[in-house]
Amino acid sequence: MTNLDAVIKGFAAHYGSDPQGVWQAPGRVNVIGEHTDYNDGFMLPIAIPQAARVAATRRDDGVLRLHSAQSPQNTGTQNTGTQNTGTQGTETAELRVTELSPRTVGGWAGYPAGVVWALLDAGHQVGGADLFFDSDVPVGGGLSSSAALECAVAFAYNDLYRLGLTPTELALLAQRAENVFVGVPCGILDQLASSCCAEGAALFVDVRAIDPPQGRTRQVPLDLATAGLVLLVIDTEVKHAHADGAYARRREGCEQAAALLGVPALRDIGREDLDAALARLPEGELRALTRHIVTEDDRVERVTALLDAGDLRGIGPLLTEGHASMRDDFVISCAETDLAVATAVEAGALGARMTGGGFGGSIIALVEREDADRVADAVAAAFAAQGWKPPRAFAVTPAAGAARLA
Ligand code: GLA
């Protein structure tokens, strides 16, 4: 049975009729550009083949029914789509759209409910729906399982209620759902990647110019197969506690540094101005945070230029450098991701780095096709030697962004 058949059948079994349509939104890995989004900077994500799918039928009585094929029991320790480690909520929720208000819906249901709230809050005339979810984006792996859920719902509502919103506008609404309704202070990276990526390409994002007509944000061809390369994702399957609070503190630190430097955001400090800027900040954390953001923006531009020039192998060292910057300056890596990256590079990866918000989750490793198994095995062996549970390795290719499937 295909993924499409499965979600249609699931909808019919649960709600007793066929859905009006099916929409899909992918997870993502970020090739480079971490924590730069809320600093108005640059990122280079790809969408991955793993995606959230939603089968949906519009309801005009204001009732929003949500059901997930992933029950809390069969998604490990977490609910489908939740970023945090709570196990609150069940696989089914029934809500009234007019009663939705921020922070009132816990667990995975908060993401889809938040999108409906964000649409209403922005003045769109939307009502209820019956929604059935099925997702193969690993939860808690730093691969944006929650953004995938949000974007699938945003795209479904856009069609069911004929809103005519663009993928970029839907991404911004999904981010607002997460920021305000769920209460996670994330940037735009995940939702924009899920909504706007294209098959066979990475998406260069300039947060100050995310609408394609503004020119800067654009698709950058990334044909790994023709180059004989594989992008491995190695999910450490660990998510350290307090990740949400640590994320918020990094964000506050960056804002504080920008204020002390008298710029709207750290993006406004160029690589050539970094030393002078650091000298104006107090020694310690604010300097380190600033150094990561400014050098990371620079790495995104350099990686993009190499891809434009067709030098895919050339980006390897910049990926590994990016990991060191997250480990030493931004202090968001952990023993598991550090070991995975170091082992992958020792085993012959061209470059490797943690991807996503940090404190666990997944690493990516760029490898020659013939080295892929060796690199994955080496990381597995290194984890076994520590007595850690086996990481999960799989190859990804740049996939399409969110779309209607049926
Ligand atoms: C998480 C957030 C994103 C971004 C990344 C780090 O995935 O949701 O907005 O800040 O971390 O790059």
Side-chain angles (χ1 to χ4, degrees):
M1 186 160 50
T2 66
N3 289 329
L4 177 59
D5 292 339
V7 73
I8 292 174
K9 270 191 97 167
F11 183 99
H14 190 75
Y15 294 115
S17 60
D18 283 341
Q20 254 176 286
V22 178
W23 291 260
Q24 167 171 288
R28 61 101 188 90
V29 297
N30 196 11
V31 176
I32 189 107
E34 228 62 86
H35 289 256
T36 44
D37 57 353
Y38 56 80
N39 287 290
D40 278 6
F42 310 137
M43 300 95 71
L44 193 69
I46 62 168
I48 58 175
Q50 291 78 4
R53 282 164 288 279
V54 61
T57 292
R58 171 177 165 155
R59 290 177 68 110
D60 291 318
D61 60 358
V63 172
L64 177 64
R65 294 199 292 177
L66 309 168
H67 185 83
S68 168
Q70 281 77 38
S71 71
Q73 289 76 29
N74 63 21
T75 52
T77 56
Q78 302 175 16
N79 292 342
T80 306
T82 53
Q83 264 192 344
N84 44 36
T85 49
T87 49
Q88 78 277 36
T90 65
E91 67 248 59
T92 297
E94 183 164 332
L95 306 155
R96 294 203 65 82
V97 297
T98 48
E99 288 167 11
L100 293 173
S101 72
R103 314 294 278 265
T104 54
V105 182
W108 70 274
Y111 299 104
V115 170
V116 177
W117 170 83
L119 286 164
L120 285 166
D121 194 59
H124 299 291
Q125 305 293 316
V126 299
D130 284 341
L131 304 178
F132 183 92
F133 295 92
D134 196 2
S135 174
D136 59 357
V137 185
V139 174
L143 302 174
S144 295
S145 56
S146 18
L149 278 187
E150 292 158 1
C151 293
V153 174
F155 275 67
Y157 260 70
N158 194 37
D159 290 344
L160 290 175
Y161 284 94
R162 301 181 190 285
L163 302 176
L165 297 168
T166 66
T168 304
E169 288 167 333
L170 294 170
L172 287 164
L173 283 160
Q175 183 202 10
R176 191 164 147 71
E178 184 142 349
N179 288 167
V180 182
F181 193 86
V182 181
V184 174
C186 64
I188 190 64
L189 168 67
D190 308 340
Q191 293 80 7
L192 205 60
S194 187
S195 297
C196 299
C197 277
E199 194 175 348
L203 182 71
F204 172 84
V205 179
D206 175 344
V207 172
R208 290 230 177 112
I210 58 174
D211 280 322
Q214 291 171 277
R216 291 274 296 164
T217 294
R218 65 186 172 91
Q219 307 292 342
V220 180
L222 179 55
D223 185 350
L224 296 160
T226 301
L229 296 172
V230 165
L231 190 63
L232 272 184
V233 172
I234 303 178
D235 183 356
T236 66
E237 299 198 358
V238 296
K239 189 77 192 164
H240 287 280
H242 311 307
D244 293 351
Y247 182 97
R249 274 202 308 285
R250 299 297 182 287
R251 187 171 180 151
E252 282 157 23
C254 289
E255 284 161 6
Q256 219 182 319
L260 286 171
L261 293 168
V263 289
L266 288 180
R267 177 269 175 68
D268 296 298
I269 308 294
R271 181 72 183 84
E272 62 291 352
D273 303 322
L274 177 60
D275 289 342
L278 294 181
R280 292 171 52 210
L281 291 170
E283 265 177 52
E285 195 191 3
L286 294 190
R287 281 194 190 179
L289 295 178
T290 303
R291 189 160 48 227
H292 169 72
I293 297 300
V294 174
T295 59
E296 186 80 345
D297 274 340
D298 183 55
R299 279 185 288 274
V300 177
E301 293 200 284
R302 283 156 65 202
V303 166
T304 305
L306 287 165
L307 294 184
D308 280 338
D311 183 4
L312 274 59
R313 284 177 178 74
I315 74 171
L318 289 166
L319 304 186
T320 311
E321 207 183 280
H323 186 78
S325 179
M326 290 191 286
R327 181 190 62 214
D328 302 337
D329 278 339
F330 223 65
V331 200
I332 51 172
S333 69
C334 61
E336 292 86 352
T337 52
D338 287 346
L339 183 66
V341 165
T343 308
V345 172
E346 271 165 35
L350 299 162
R353 59 182 290 277
M354 189 182 69
T355 188
F359 311 101
S362 299
I363 72 147
I364 53 169
L366 183 68
V367 297
E368 301 288 351
R369 187 185 295 129
E370 57 275 19
D371 292 342
D373 288 345
R374 192 157 46 81
V375 169
D377 290 348
V379 176
F383 271 50
Q386 297 289 331
W388 296 341
K389 76 173 181 179
R392 223 168 59 83
F394 52 96
V396 291
T397 48
R404 185 171 192 159
L405 291 185

